[in-house]
């Protein structure tokens, strides 16, 4: 009887993964073509391309999956996409200079946007009920990546120009801590339990680990590939995936030991800010110079299928996740321009990450 229950559970889990994949979409920002590509994660095909502002960098999707928020670095704005119709709604939201990173609070009330080009560096706070900026927080120089703790209490900002991470208390929108990390920190991700923040140091070719309870770096920096930029953690917290921008690979970190496992995974040229699917089964990697997205199966840590062709210079990716449960990695694995205006903005990209460099 116990065996029968397990079999039913496995079958149910497999069906859930298939249903989740069918309902899920990946949204990819194309910095070079001022658009967002929408990928059906079940078929691995592009459904549509949505025009947004100049040089869209990163993207975040509301917890209910209804809207996608896109930072337009070349327009100094944030565009809002209604995911039901895949159309831009409202007027672009003005923020600071050269917005790059964006993260949304777990309750869906606020979006935090890093303004890479603002002097001093700053983070704009958008109230999502009105889509207006309600606060600006001064942080370090050239803020790039940003992540919010699962309880929504803190936002962690990677300041690529000052080699620090700023910690913002979201209740007061004030900086309550500054942590020194490696050179040119760009991407940042927080474990599902909120205990640690992992920071990709592009200039040091390492990942730093911050204990959020004390806001101190723990252990020694973890060596990865050349110029790591993006980092994402699986929903079960077991692994962190790091895109090595110059090495054209993705490194996998075991978060229990904070060591790299296996060999780096070859992907396309200039892999950028990657993301893990809501079920934990796949990692989508935008390859900036290949104009493609590679899909890694986390069960095997290998690329599956052919790269998905998207727009020009893809830089970021986010998933819709409505009613998609977290499934153990093995389940999904088993299933398997405006050129001038944009060029000026692209030269600001961190760690000399030129859109046109190859």
């Amino acid at each position: 009887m116990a065996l029968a229950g397990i079999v039913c559970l496995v079958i149910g889990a497999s069906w859930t993964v298939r249903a989740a994949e069918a309902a899920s979409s990946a949204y990819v920002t194309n910095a070079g073509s001022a658009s967002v590509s929408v990928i059906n994660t079940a078929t691995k095909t592009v459904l549509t391309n949505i025009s947004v502002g100049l040089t869209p960098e990163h993207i975040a999707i509301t917890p209910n999956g209804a809207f996608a928020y896109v930072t337009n670095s070349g327009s100094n704005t944030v565009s809002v996409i209604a995911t039901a119709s895949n159309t831009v709604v409202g007027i672009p939201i003005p923020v600071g200079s050269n917005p790059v990173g964006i993260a949304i609070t777990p309750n869906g009330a606020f979006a935090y946007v890093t303004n890479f080009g603002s002097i001093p560096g700053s983070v704009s706070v958008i109230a999502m009920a009105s889509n207006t900026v309600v606060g600006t927080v001064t942080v370090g120089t050239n803020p790039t990546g940003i992540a919010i703790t699962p309880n929504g209490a803190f936002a962690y900002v990677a300041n690529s120009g000052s080699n620090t991470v700023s910690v913002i208390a979201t209740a007061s929108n004030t900086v309550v801590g500054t942590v020194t990390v490696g050179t040119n920190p760009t991407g940042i991700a927080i474990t599902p339990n909120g205990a640690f923040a992992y920071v990709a140091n592009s200039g040091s070719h390492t990942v730093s680990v911050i204990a959020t309870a004390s806001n101190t770096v723990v252990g020694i920096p973890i060596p990865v590939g050349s110029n790591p930029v993006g980092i994402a953690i699986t929903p079960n917290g077991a692994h962190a995936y790091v895109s090595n921008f110059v090495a054209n690979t993705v490194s996998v970190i075991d978060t229990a030991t904070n060591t790299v496992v296996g060999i780096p995974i070859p992907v396309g040229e200039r892999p950028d800010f990657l993301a893990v699917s809501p079920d934990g089964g796949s990692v989508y990697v935008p390859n900036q110079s290949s104009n493609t997205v590679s899909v890694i199966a986390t069960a095997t840590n290998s690329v599956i299928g052919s790269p998905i062709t998207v727009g020009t210079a893809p830089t970021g990716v986010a998933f819709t996740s409505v009613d998609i449960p977290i499934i153990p990695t093995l389940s999904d694995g088993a299933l398997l321009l405006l050129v001038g205006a944009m060029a000026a903005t692209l030269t600001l990209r961190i760690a000399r990450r030129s859109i046109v460099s190859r």
Side-chain angles (χ1 to χ4, degrees):
M1 188 167 181
L3 179 61
I6 292 172
V7 170
C8 290
L9 180 62
V10 171
I11 293 173
S14 298
W15 181 88
T16 302
V17 170
R18 286 194 293 269
E21 284 287 89
S24 176
S25 295
Y27 286 70
V28 180
T29 51
N30 303 306
S33 52
S35 66
V36 172
S37 295
V38 184
I39 298 172
N40 181 314
T41 58
T43 62
K44 307 295 189 292
T45 56
V46 173
L47 300 174
T48 189
N49 291 288
I50 307 162
S51 294
V52 288
L54 290 177
T55 324
E57 287 274 6
H58 292 185
I59 185 167
I61 294 176
T62 54
N64 65 4
F67 298 98
Y69 282 65
V70 182
T71 57
N72 303 308
S73 185
S75 302
N76 301 331
T77 60
V78 170
S79 294
V80 183
I81 297 170
T83 58
S85 60
N86 283 330
T87 56
V88 173
V89 293
I91 60 174
I93 306 165
V95 287
S97 178
N98 301 114
V100 176
I102 184 167
I104 295 173
T105 54
N107 63 3
F110 298 97
Y112 284 71
V113 178
T114 60
N115 301 309
F116 178 85
S118 291
I119 301 174
S122 67
V123 171
S124 296
V125 184
I126 298 172
M128 301 175 75
S130 60
N131 280 336
T132 57
V133 172
V134 293
T136 302
V137 185
T138 298
V139 290
T141 306
N142 299 132
T144 308
I146 184 168
I148 295 175
T149 53
N151 63 5
F154 300 99
Y156 282 70
V157 182
N159 304 307
S160 57
S162 53
N163 304 331
T164 60
V165 169
S166 297
V167 184
I168 299 171
T170 57
S172 59
N173 282 331
T174 57
V175 173
V176 294
T178 302
V179 186
T180 299
V181 289
T183 306
N184 296 126
T186 54
I188 187 165
I190 296 173
T191 54
N193 64 4
F196 299 99
Y198 283 67
V199 185
N201 303 309
S202 182
S204 300
H205 318 299
T206 61
V207 169
S208 295
V209 182
I210 298 171
T212 57
S214 59
N215 282 331
T216 56
V217 172
V218 294
I220 61 174
I222 306 165
V224 287
S226 181
N227 297 104
V229 290
I231 187 165
I233 297 173
T234 53
N236 63 8
H239 296 97
Y241 286 76
V242 183
S243 55
N244 303 308
F245 189 75
V246 173
N248 299 331
T249 61
V250 170
S251 296
V252 185
I253 296 171
D254 183 331
T255 58
T257 60
N258 281 337
T259 57
V260 172
V261 294
I263 61 174
I265 305 164
V267 288
E269 292 184 25
R270 302 297 189 256
D272 219 320
F273 283 78
L274 73 183
V276 180
S277 62
D279 61 18
S282 303
V283 179
Y284 278 51
V285 186
N287 303 306
Q288 193 188 107
S289 291
S290 298
N291 303 329
T292 62
V293 172
S294 296
V295 181
I296 296 171
T298 58
T300 59
N301 282 334
S302 60
V303 172
I304 56 173
S306 300
I308 304 166
T309 300
V310 288
T312 304
T315 54
V317 60
F319 294 88
T320 54
S321 57
V322 179
D323 296 325
I324 298 178
I326 295 173
I327 303 297
T329 299
L330 284 177
S331 296
D332 185 57
L335 292 173
L336 274 199
L337 201 177
L338 315 198
V339 172
M342 284 194 267
T345 301
L346 298 180
T347 58
L348 291 173
R349 296 183 56 80
I350 193 54
R352 272 55 72 184
R353 299 188 305 123
S354 171
I355 294 295
V356 297
S357 67
R358 293 180 183 267

